């Protein structure tokens, strides 16, 4: 039998994102900012106030009226601290002013205290020419009331939360969290901490995937590890009926024990299977009782890469996130790649002085070399390169977080 051609990664991702867009999680939660980290903004927000709300001094110094510069030295008519409300600047005077304090009406520049001389009578002159607008943060210069602030689909992180707080917003409408049912498959799997019987290994995929899912903002329904037996798989998956997504690892390659693959072909619907990706060729997407299903390969390195490059963007799009693709940064390859592959390859690399250094192990069976790597270098299929050529690098730091905003 002739093997079916492998589906290109870009095509698979395009299809996954389309499928995701057809199944959005529409419900909205109202949360306070303290609980909003990692949540996805449900609606576009516009600025409620000018920021800054009034013109203020960027420095400790003296506020002047530029037109009176030649009359220096000028007496100090008032001292303005942050948190106070000044009088208009009296003609023929200057004002002592501190960082964050409102600029008095009539003043149009602030001179740094280091550039001012105070004479014996307490009158102030500037030692360098005054400049119109200098050291004044003008009302609304960051954003004006009514202007677009944050768009629906923005992932709220510490900085975005600060932007909201600065606007006086303390509660925000976010999209609900997805419920993801997670299971491992394989007769060989033993629980973490259990003593291994002959032929057994510890289940590591489940803790990796569970942790990644939680970082992306999902509620995880942990269905445990299940043996490669169809009735058992069926019984476990029945518990996933209320989930937004089911994710499994193992059992999707073609072999006698590909229980998930057989289950899907028998009782579900396979939409994608076998991609031109390395590691991770057996990646599968389908439906089980109308619940979307992602079958990741069992090899820990393959499960990791396919989750991060395919399941992550799919999930984020379901969650309403706008920018689901990770940031790709060109880095210089620090090694030759003379042999073209027939799959798009994700190489584990460290980045040292802007050069990608290949990790010694690229085995799909190991996770340790991924822990020590900074991320992956994306090698398109059919590509060869020499040391010194630039390729796209994606950092693990970016891949394990829910978005490109922060
Ligand atoms: P499979 O995709 O089921 O053929 O599994 C491929 C390889 O991954 C085999 O060596 C499995 O023992 C291993 N594997 C499968 N599931 C897990 C898991 N949850 N944790 C660690 N290794 C696994
Ligand atoms: Mg297996």
């Amino acid at each position: 039998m002739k093997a079916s051609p492998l589906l290109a990664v870009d095509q698979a991702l395009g299809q996954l994102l389309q499928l995701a867009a057809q199944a959005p999680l529409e419900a909205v939660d109202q949360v306070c900012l303290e609980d909003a980290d990692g949540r996805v903004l449900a609606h576009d927000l516009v600025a409620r106030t000018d920021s800054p709300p009034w013109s203020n001094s960027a420095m400790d110094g003296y506020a002047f009226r530029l037109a009176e510069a030649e009359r220096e030295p000028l007496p100090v008519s008032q001292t303005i601290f942050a948190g106070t409300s000044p009088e208009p600047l009296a003609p023929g005077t200057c004002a002592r002013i501190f960082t964050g304090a409102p600029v008095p009406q009539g003043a149009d520049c602030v001179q740094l205290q280091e550039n001012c001389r105070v004479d014996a009578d307490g009158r102030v002159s500037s030692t360098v020419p005054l400049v119109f607008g200098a050291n004044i943060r003008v009302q609304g210069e960051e954003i004006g009331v009514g202007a677009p602030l944050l768009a629906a689909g923005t992932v709220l992180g510490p900085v975005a939360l600060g932007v909201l707080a600065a606007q006086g917003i303390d509660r925000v409408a976010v999209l609900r969290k997805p419920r993801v049912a997670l299971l491992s498959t394989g007769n060989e799997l033993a629980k973490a901490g259990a003593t291994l019987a002959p032929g057994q290994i510890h289940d590591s995929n489940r803790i990796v995937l569970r942790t990644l899912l939680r970082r992306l903002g999902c509620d995880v329904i942990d269905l445990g590890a299940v043996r490669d037996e169809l009735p058992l798989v069926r019984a476990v998956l029945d518990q996933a009926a209320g989930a937004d997504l089911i994710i499994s690892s193992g059992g999707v390659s073609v072999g006698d024990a590909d229980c998930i693959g057989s289950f899907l072909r028998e009782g579900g619907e396979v939409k994608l299977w076998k991609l031109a990706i390395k590691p991770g060729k057996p990646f599968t997407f389908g439906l089980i009782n109308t619940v979307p299903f992602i079958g990741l390969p069992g090899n820990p390195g393959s499960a990791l890469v396919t989750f991060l490059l395919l399941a992550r963007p799919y999930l984020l799009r379901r969650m309403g996130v706008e920018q689901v693709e990770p940031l790709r940064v060109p880095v210089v390859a620090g090694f030759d790649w003379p042999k073209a592959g027939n799959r798009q390859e994700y190489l584990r690399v460290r980045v040292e002085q802007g050069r990608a250094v290949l990790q010694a192990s690229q085995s799909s069976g190991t996770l340790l070399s991924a822990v020590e790597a900074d991320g992956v270098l994306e090698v398109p299929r059919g590509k060869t390169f020499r040391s010194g050529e630039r390729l796209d690098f994606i950092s693990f730091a970016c891949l394990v977080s829910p978005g490109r905003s922060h």
Side-chain angles (χ1 to χ4, degrees), residues 181-194:
L182 177 66
L183 67 149
S184 303
T185 69
N187 293 348
E188 71 279 32
L189 299 182
K191 275 197 188 130

Side-chain angles (χ1 to χ4, degrees), residues 184-186 188-189 201-206 228 249-253 257 282 296-300:
S184 303
T185 69
E188 71 279 32
L189 299 182
I201 58 164
H202 292 295
D203 176 356
S204 60
N205 285 345
R206 197 145 42 87
D228 296 311
S249 71
V252 282
S253 45
L296 303 174
N299 272 311

